[in-house]
């Protein structure tokens, strides 16, 4: 009697069951293809669930971030302020400063004499963007970039500001931006890391960079940035030692993997599996990395595009070319650091060399990506950790001056990957001190970058120490006006 009632109530027989379940079974099959370990029920499978799964369709697939460490002066590059020239030597009005904090390097100055840029500016492109004579090649590509003149940050000194730009927090032990993308999206090329770091030689003396800027923080160590060097071995200890060939290396890794699996079963430490993955990645990289890092085979027109320095390992130009090769090969996030922009004095003399180091190669990278059909899917970001003051630090002369740190307003530019090209966004006051239109905080920048990569910055989280962390912490808004 119960069986009859059951069948009558649901109206299900064997044929109906398979018909109704077809869509569900199809979804299960699709899920198992997208995430192979999805239904294993292991903790590892649960941790891997976000990899490669975007929250929505993305504009960009990869990111190249050109970090100008030390903070380029926006007043000498993109934020033209003729009023400062008219007020040369006059003290910064308190109505403009409004009691805002200063660094210890200028806080005790008796006066804050205003000084306009020594360099000339012209308008370029359809947007009429003002660009300094220091950056003639970047000026030629203004129709391909979006200049944001209303960036601001919380930190006033280099270490916390640079850490904030890279990790979304001023303190250490937070995952860097590249690590978040590695965690959230995984790698496009199984033979290369998802996150690579390049450090440029040259540039002036200034603030250093350090490994916490590309640290995985509390994420799995497989998401840490892999630093490439300018030596004969771009990645140290990657090559086989003398007496070992690929066959013996493979056998060694097999035995080491078996031992590590035994350790994992005993201690259940996920970092043991992370180490296994890193060993296997290094083995695959032994074949991929030498070919990718060899720029000597690039055609002559590409070498000319990036400049003669592009054939000198470790220079900014060489690293820009290498960044293109890494990105083209499927590296998800490439971060290039160029130091020396910290011009507290002798700005006029020092910034000429800095601009010359980066101008041609930065423009060449965007041009190269565009002509290869890669710019639309590659997001390029250029800028430093904060800006510089509109008043002089130290002695002011007719021909020279210095500028202190200024977190209240600075400029960056972005290109490709869903960014609205040929635009200028945001505005500062006539003295270049405060933002008066469309401010963009570092958290907003991070939220926008994640959006372009198909990730909701509020949803990509990781639980650590009892709370869920994210790159933007509890802040950030997508700047929709600069999206294509």
């Amino acid at each position: 009697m119960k069986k009859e009632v059951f069948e009558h109530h649901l109206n299900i027989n064997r044929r109906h069951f398979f018909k109704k379940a077809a869509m569900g079974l199809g979804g299960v099959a699709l899920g198992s293809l997208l995430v192979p370990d999805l239904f294993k029920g292991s903790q590892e499978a649960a941790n891997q669930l976000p990899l490669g799964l975007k929250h929505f369709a993305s504009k960009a697939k990869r990111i190249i971030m050109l970090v100008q460490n030390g903070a380029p002066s926006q007043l000498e590059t993109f934020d033209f302020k003729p009023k400062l020239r008219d007020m040369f030597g006059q003290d910064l009005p308190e109505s403009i400063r409004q009691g805002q904090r200063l660094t210890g390097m200028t806080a005790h100055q008796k006066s804050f004499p205003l000084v306009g840029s020594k360099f000339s500016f012209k308008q370029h492109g359809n947007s009429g963007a003002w660009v300094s004579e220091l950056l003639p090649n970047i000026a030629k590509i203004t129709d391909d970039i979006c200049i944001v003149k209303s960036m601001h940050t919380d930190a006033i000194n280099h270490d916390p500001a640079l850490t904030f730009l890279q990790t979304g927090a001023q303190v250490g032990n937070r995952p860097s931006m590249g690590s978040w993308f590695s965690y959230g999206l995984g790698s496009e090329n199984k033979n290369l890391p998802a996150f690579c770091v390049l450090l440029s030689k040259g540039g002036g003396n200034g603030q250093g960079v350090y490994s916490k800027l590309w640290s995985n923080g509390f994420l799995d160590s497989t998401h840490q940035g892999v630093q490439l060097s300018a030596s004969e071995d771009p990645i140290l200890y990657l090559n086989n030692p003398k007496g070992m060939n690929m066959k013996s290396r493979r056998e060694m890794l097999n035995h080491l993997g078996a031992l590590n699996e035994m350790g994992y079963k005993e201690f259940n430490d996920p970092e043991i599996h992370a180490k296994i993955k890193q060993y296997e990645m290094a083995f695959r990289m032994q074949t991929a990395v030498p070919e990718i890092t060899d720029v000597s085979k690039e055609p002559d027109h590409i070498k000319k595009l990036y400049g003669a320095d592009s054939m000198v390992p470790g220079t900014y130009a060489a690293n820009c070319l290498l960044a293109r090769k890494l990105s083209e090969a499927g590296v998800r996030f490439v971060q290039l650091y160029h130091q020396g922009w910290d011009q507290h004095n002798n700005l006029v003399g020092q910034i000429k060399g800095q601009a010359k180091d980066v101008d041609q190669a930065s423009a060449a990278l965007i041009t190269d990506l565009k002509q290869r059909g890669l710019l639309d899917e590659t997001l390029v970001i250029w800028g430093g950790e904060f800006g510089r003051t509109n008043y002089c630090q130290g002695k002011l002369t007719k021909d020279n001056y210095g500028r202190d740190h200024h977190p209240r307003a600075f400029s960056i530019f972005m290109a490709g990957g869903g960014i609205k090209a040929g635009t200028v966004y945001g505005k500062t006051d006539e003295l270049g001190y405060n933002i008066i239109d469309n401010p963009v905080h570092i958290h907003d920048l991070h939220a926008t970058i994640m959006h372009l990569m198909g990730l909701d910055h509020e949803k990509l989280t990781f639980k650590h120490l009892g709370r869920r962390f994210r790159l933007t912490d509890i802040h950030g808004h997508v700047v929709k006006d600069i999206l294509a």
Side-chain angles (χ1 to χ4, degrees), residues 80-111:
F80 180 45
K81 296 298 175 185
K83 182 79 170 179
L84 285 176
R85 293 176 177 174
D86 299 337
M87 297 181 67
F88 178 86
Q90 296 183 36
D91 202 39
L92 174 68
E94 181 55 37
S95 60
I96 298 295
R97 181 188 165 191
Q98 299 174 355
Q100 293 165 10
R101 63 177 177 157
L102 308 175
T103 74
M105 292 170 282
T106 55
H108 301 294
Q109 287 189 186
K110 293 181 180 180
S111 64

Side-chain angles (χ1 to χ4, degrees), residues 23-48:
M23 184 61 70
L25 291 173
V28 170
L30 178 60
S32 66
L33 289 173
L34 291 174
V35 187
D37 295 330
L38 181 61
F39 302 107
K40 286 186 177 180
S42 65
Q43 184 60 43
E44 180 186 8
N47 290 339
Q48 288 182 346

Side-chain angles (χ1 to χ4, degrees), residues 398-473:
K398 183 179 179 181
D399 298 317
N400 210 346
Y401 49 88
R403 296 193 191 277
D404 199 5
H405 310 163
H406 189 61
R408 298 288 300 178
F410 63 104
S411 301
I412 68 168
F413 73 76
M414 306 169 74
I419 288 294
K420 189 183 295 183
T423 58
V424 176
Y425 186 78
K427 187 177 181 180
T428 57
D429 61 36
E430 62 182 358
L431 298 182
Y433 195 89
N434 293 305
I435 296 169
I436 60 174
D437 189 29
N438 294 323
V440 179
H441 190 268
I442 292 295
H443 288 312
D444 302 327
L445 176 66
H446 290 163
T448 305
I449 293 170
M450 293 183 72
H451 178 85
L452 291 168
M453 291 290 284
L455 297 172
D456 185 329
H457 72 103
E458 294 183 348
K459 292 181 179 178
L460 184 64
T461 63
F462 187 89
K463 192 171 184 180
H464 175 65
L465 297 178
R467 63 161 285 195
R468 294 196 176 277
F469 287 84
R470 67 187 207 217
L471 176 61
T472 53
D473 196 33

